[in-house]
Every structure is written in C-alpha cells, then in structure tokens.
Amino acid sequence: WDFLILFFCLPVVIFNEITKKRLLGDVSCRILPFMEVSSLGVTTFSLCALGIDRFHAATSPQASARPIEQCQSIIAKLAVIWVGSMTLSVPEILLWQLAQDTSPVSGTVTEYCTMKPSSNLPESVYSLVLTYQNARMWWYFGCYFCLPILFTVSCQLVTRRISGTEKKTECRGTKHSQCESHLNCTIIGLTIIYGLCTTPENVCNIVVAYMSPDVSKQTLDLLNLINQFFLFFKCSVTPVLLLCLCRPLGQAFMDCCCCCCEGCSPDTASSEGSADSKLKTEMSSSIFFDKPRESPPPLLALGTPC
C-alpha cells in the first residue's frame, strides 16, 4: 500500500501544486483521501497484528519449535487488514468534492478539494457522512494514532516481562533469543516512524478544529501539504526500514535484484555462489520464523542464479 501511495498519490499532489489544477478532477479529490486514510488503517492494523504475533511467540510453550505459519492463515490476516482498512475509509469518498476559486491577484481559476458532503446524497447517507465529518478528528487520533502505539507498547512490555522471567531458567545468547529481540526491535522501529510521521497531522487537526475561524485558506492548504509530505515520507521510509532491519527479507530482496541485474547468466561460478547464498538465506529465514533445522540441506548445482 505504501508503493500505491507513492506511485499514485504523490504525482497527483505534485501536479496540483505546479499547475493548480486537479489531475483526474473530482475523481482524484475522492480517491486520494480514501487511499491515504486506508494507508493509515493498513499500517495501524498491521502493527497490531505484528504485536499479537510477538506476544504469541513469547507465550508459546515451545517457542523455539514453533512452525512456520500456513500461507492460508497469512492471506486471511492480510485480507482482514486490507478489507477492514478500506471499509473504514469509504466515508472519505463521499466526504470530499472538487471546488473552484478565483485568485483575487492574478484572476486565474484554481481547483481545490473541499471537505463537504454532496447534497445529492440520500438523507440517511448524508447524515452518516456528516456525523463522520464531525467525529473525524477524534477518530483519526484514537484509531490511527493512539491504537497502534498503545497496542505495540503494551505487547512489548508484556513480551519483555515474559522474556525476562524465562531468561532466569534458560541460557542467554541463543540464536532464538537474539532473533526474538531483533524482531521486537523491528516492530518498535516501525512504530516510532509511524508515530513521528502521524503526529503533525493529528496536532494540526486538533488546532484547526478549535481555531478554524481564525485560520486562512492559504494556511490550511499549507498544513495539508505538510501532512501529505509526512505521509509520503512514512511510505518511503517504512519499506526501506523493514528491508534493513529484517535481514532475511532484505537478503532475499537483494538476491532478486542481483538476479535481475545479472540477467540470470548460467555460469558455474555464479551457480555455486547462488547456491551458497540460498543456503544462508534459508538458514537465516528458518531462524527468523522460529523453525529449527536439524541439518543444512545439501548444496545442489543450480542452473541459474534464480
């Protein structure tokens, strides 16, 4: 979803700031807020799911022998996260619409998006959207800011408490404990980035809500642009941070990039190097997913680096 935000929303925002015209018109006014709020929901519920996973890993009776989660279970969790986030963001489509304004200085007509439900909506839907607009600020703050931070902090505190009691009976420095600590640091890093990037928007929403009569339209546009910049920054940093902190995932990503760059040339030296790197990646990923391996697999000659 971060890539969708960068490749779809970022060009539209840049085009609007340069030309003062809305690319795709009213469609972009409705789709961009929908995608941006969905991005917050996907990150929020993903952090909550990761916190639950770390809690289960810490409280499992045989954590070191915990098998890899089935693909169907992972897909089901992803579906719940994505569908739930998009469902909660549907009011954004009905809340925004395109408006035009004439500049008093240059006389040019500029297009902008305004938060105003359409009067053509059915009465019941219009009342729901209006209620959502009035509660939007606190919904943002409670669900998309407080929930992931409090959830992650609570899971980390409980996990560290349980890990602290287990360390008294187990030897320290094992690969499993190092892997668990590394995973916890990854989740904490993702939460810190998310919290820092969403704090300005929540502060601006609260300030503007109580000072809206004294704030000019130019100031509101500037604050909105700053909030979007932090959102784009979060979407850019999060995948990089995940690839850097999650070593097996980063190694697999680099192997795929190197394979594509080399054009999959079938030479013997690269085959042996690829086999060795594949072995290291499999061993590291097995540690990462808490799945013990009795003995390393034999090195087989591969036809290509892929």
Side-chain angles (χ1 to χ4, degrees), residues 279 282-283 293-299:
L279 172 61
E282 289 182 353
M283 293 181 67
R293 187 182 293 274
E294 300 296 336
S295 60
L299 294 176

Side-chain angles (χ1 to χ4, degrees), residues 25-104:
D26 188 65
V27 176
S28 64
C29 280
R30 300 177 184 273
I31 296 299
L32 258 67
F34 169 77
M35 294 187 64
E36 292 173 355
V37 176
S38 296
S39 174
L40 298 178
V42 169
T43 307
T44 295
F45 300 134
S46 296
L47 290 175
C48 293
L50 291 173
I52 295 175
D53 179 74
R54 291 298 89 210
F55 176 77
H56 286 169
T59 57
S60 177
Q62 296 180 350
S64 59
R66 197 163 60 100
I68 296 178
E69 189 173 3
Q70 295 296 326
C71 181
Q72 293 82 355
S73 176
I74 297 177
I75 293 177
K77 291 180 180 179
L78 292 177
V80 171
I81 291 173
W82 280 49
V83 174
S85 302
M86 296 172 66
T87 302
L88 293 176
S89 305
V90 168
E92 295 288 331
I93 299 178
L94 306 175
L95 183 61
W96 295 84
Q97 60 179 330
L98 184 66
Q100 294 181 347
D101 188 17
T102 303
S103 175

Side-chain angles (χ1 to χ4, degrees), residues 108-126:
T108 58
V109 178
T110 59
E111 297 179 346
Y112 64 96
C113 296
T114 179
M115 190 184 301
K116 182 180 178 181
S118 176
S119 58
N120 298 327
L121 295 174
E123 185 177 356
S124 57
V125 177
Y126 181 83

Side-chain angles (χ1 to χ4, degrees), residues 256-302:
C256 291
C257 292
C258 295
C259 173
C260 295
C261 293
E262 294 176 359
C264 301
S265 56
D267 55 315
T268 307
S270 62
S271 299
E272 295 177 355
S274 175
D276 188 33
S277 64
K278 181 179 180 181
L279 172 61
K280 293 180 180 179
T281 304
E282 289 182 353
M283 293 181 67
S284 61
S285 62
S286 66
I287 298 174
F288 183 82
F289 285 108
D290 309 326
K291 182 179 180 181
R293 187 182 293 274
E294 300 296 336
S295 60
L299 294 176
L300 301 178
L302 301 179

Side-chain angles (χ1 to χ4, degrees), residues 9 21 31 38 44 46 50 60 73 86-87 108 119 139 166 168-169 185 201-202 237 244-245 253 266 277 291 306:
C9 298
K21 299 290 184 181
I31 296 299
S38 296
T44 295
S46 296
L50 291 173
S60 177
S73 176
M86 296 172 66
T87 302
T108 58
S119 58
W139 170 253
E166 290 180 351
K168 297 179 181 178
T169 57
C185 292
E201 182 175 6
N202 287 279
V237 172
C244 292
L245 293 181
F253 182 79
S277 64
K291 182 179 180 181
C306 292

